[in-house]
Amino acid sequence: MNSSSSNRIEMEDAADTRPILIVPYMWIGDFVRGHTVVRVLKQRWPNRPVDLLVTPLCAPLVDYMPGVRAGIVWDLPRSRLAIAKQRGLAAELRPRGYGTALVMPRTWKAAIAPTLAGIPERVGFFGEARFGLINQMRWGEKALPRFIDKNAALAMPADAPLPPEWPVPQLLVPPEQIARWRQANGVGSGPAVALAPGSVGASKRWTYYPQTARLLIERGLDVWVVGGPGEKALAQEIVAVGGSKVRDLTGTDLRNGILAMAAAGVAISNDSGLMHIAAAIGTPTMGIFGPTSPYLWAPLNGLAATVLQNKSKLSCQPCQRTVCTMNEHRCMRDIEATELADIAERVMAQSVR
């Protein structure tokens, strides 16, 4: 956010020092974008500490988010209310003395623990008839098309006009951690392209990462495959085609993925959590979009390249579906490996100048 737009978020009562709890969405990309909410709150109330409720998976991200005092690590099951766990979480929250809770998800379940903890101000959009659980109810969510607008609006005063730009998410990774990570993984210091072939939903997965890896290796660049355990098979396929110089860095620890994205010269990613991580770090990032809309889902940070198929206009695009049901996945299949390799090479050359 530039200075003229940041002035639209006015500072309030500097004497108020009561902590604020954010209950964010817990998908990795959504959690990263939630840092915009932290920044809006810190502009509005600079003296109020901000904590985040976080799952064990996303917990490493909190360490790199400026303005966050602490992450409250608690894993609530997705499929049931889990009242005993909600009570346990409430007992964890109660002594922290929160004055405000921002409940981003519209579910009943997300508001239970803040209510049981006695947090006096609980802000959220109407959803699942949460009267009594949410006592500062907001309306008009459907008029806000972008996910970030829905979330960040809750950090603003009720009925306040939205600023023309939001503060972008930030992940600040210390250089010494990057250096230690490079040494521990034996990746050297050469320019590297990080590939993130995974995503939630098969339709968002571009299929030509193996061919792109081979082209990048032939052009003298190192290639790393980054992702979680679910991407292990994809990584092995990329290594099989790209050759032994391609490094499989997939694993169970998200911190490894954060540090890999921080160390890379360029990241190529589907519309996924790792795309948002790389962009928030400031690594030049190429985001591949097919079934999803860049306007709705691209990082606020901006991308080095937003890659869309341009061979033909598809009536089904963007469909927002997790599985392609028409046009044989042409929105992704018609993006060629040479196009991505060429863009990555140009971006890398620009970033090292």
Side-chain angles (χ1 to χ4, degrees):
M1 176 181 286
N2 58 40
S3 59
S4 61
S5 59
S6 64
N7 290 337
R8 306 291 182 88
I9 303 173
E10 297 182 0
M11 186 176 69
E12 297 184 19
D13 192 3
D16 191 348
T17 59
R18 296 172 302 158
I20 301 170
L21 175 70
I22 301 176
V23 181
Y25 287 87
M26 296 300 181
W27 294 109
I28 292 172
D30 297 341
F31 191 85
V32 172
R33 285 187 287 185
H35 189 245
T36 286
V37 180
V38 174
R39 297 191 67 190
V40 173
L41 288 173
K42 295 303 289 185
Q43 289 180 10
R44 184 179 174 188
W45 287 301
N47 295 320
R48 297 185 68 179
V50 176
D51 293 349
L52 291 172
L53 188 65
V54 60
T55 61
L57 171 63
C58 291
L61 288 164
V62 175
D63 293 341
Y64 304 107
M65 289 182 164
V68 176
R69 181 182 68 172
I72 312 302
V73 182
W74 204 268
D75 208 1
L76 293 171
R78 294 179 182 272
S79 58
R80 63 185 193 278
L81 290 180
I83 294 300
K85 286 200 169 187
Q86 295 278 6
R87 287 175 177 160
L89 175 57
E92 176 75 20
L93 299 176
R94 194 174 297 113
R96 296 173 182 265
Y98 294 111
T100 302
L102 267 59
V103 183
M104 303 300 171
R106 298 172 65 253
T107 62
W108 217 80
K109 181 173 69 175
I112 293 175
T115 304
L116 293 176
I119 299 175
E121 183 181 50
R122 304 180 297 277
V123 184
F125 279 110
F126 175 78
E128 296 189 357
R130 299 187 293 179
F131 298 105
L133 296 178
I134 298 295
N135 59 13
Q136 297 290 327
M137 194 75 75
R138 299 289 182 86
W139 308 87
E141 180 187 19
K142 291 183 179 179
L144 303 173
R146 296 188 305 167
F147 180 85
I148 188 59
D149 296 326
K150 301 175 194 295
N151 284 348
L154 293 179
M156 300 282 287
D159 302 322
L162 302 187
E165 297 177 12
W166 294 112
V168 300
Q170 292 179 328
L171 295 175
L172 303 182
V173 182
E176 57 272 19
Q177 288 193 25
I178 299 173
R180 287 197 300 269
W181 178 88
R182 279 185 173 274
Q183 184 176 18
N185 287 276
V187 296
S189 58
V193 179
L195 306 182
S199 70
V200 176
S203 67
K204 294 194 291 184
R205 295 175 192 157
W206 186 58
T207 54
Y208 302 135
Y209 280 100
Q211 294 80 3
T212 303
R214 186 179 65 244
L215 289 170
L216 293 171
I217 291 292
E218 290 172 353
R219 299 178 190 192
L221 297 170
D222 292 341
V223 176
W224 307 334
V225 186
V226 184
E231 281 74 66
K232 180 62 69 175
L234 292 172
Q236 291 172 348
E237 180 184 350
I238 294 169
V239 170
V241 175
S244 60
K245 290 185 178 180
V246 179
R247 288 292 305 275
D248 175 7
L249 298 175
T250 58
T252 58
D253 185 1
L254 181 60
R255 191 179 305 274
N256 181 70
I258 296 168
L259 292 169
M261 287 303 186
V266 172
I268 302 177
S269 177
N270 301 325
D271 177 7
S272 69
L274 283 172
M275 175 187 68
H276 288 278
I277 288 173
I281 289 170
T283 298
T285 305
M286 298 164 54
I288 306 173
F289 289 84
T292 53
S293 162
Y295 170 72
L296 295 177
W297 301 108
L300 287 182
N301 309 72
L303 294 170
T306 301
V307 184
L308 293 149
Q309 74 84 24
N310 55 18
K311 288 186 177 180
S312 60
K313 185 176 180 180
L314 301 176
S315 60
C316 57
Q317 190 178 9
C319 68
Q320 312 294 342
R321 296 177 183 269
T322 56
V323 177
C324 178
T325 58
M326 60 192 304
N327 284 324
E328 299 178 328
H329 207 206
R330 286 178 55 199
C331 65
M332 298 294 266
R333 190 166 48 80
D334 285 353
I335 301 172
E336 298 179 355
T338 52
E339 178 183 354
L340 270 292
D342 290 345
I343 296 173
E345 193 172 25
R346 290 198 300 269
V347 172
M348 181 75 81
Q350 293 169 358
S351 65
V352 297
R353 287 176 186 171

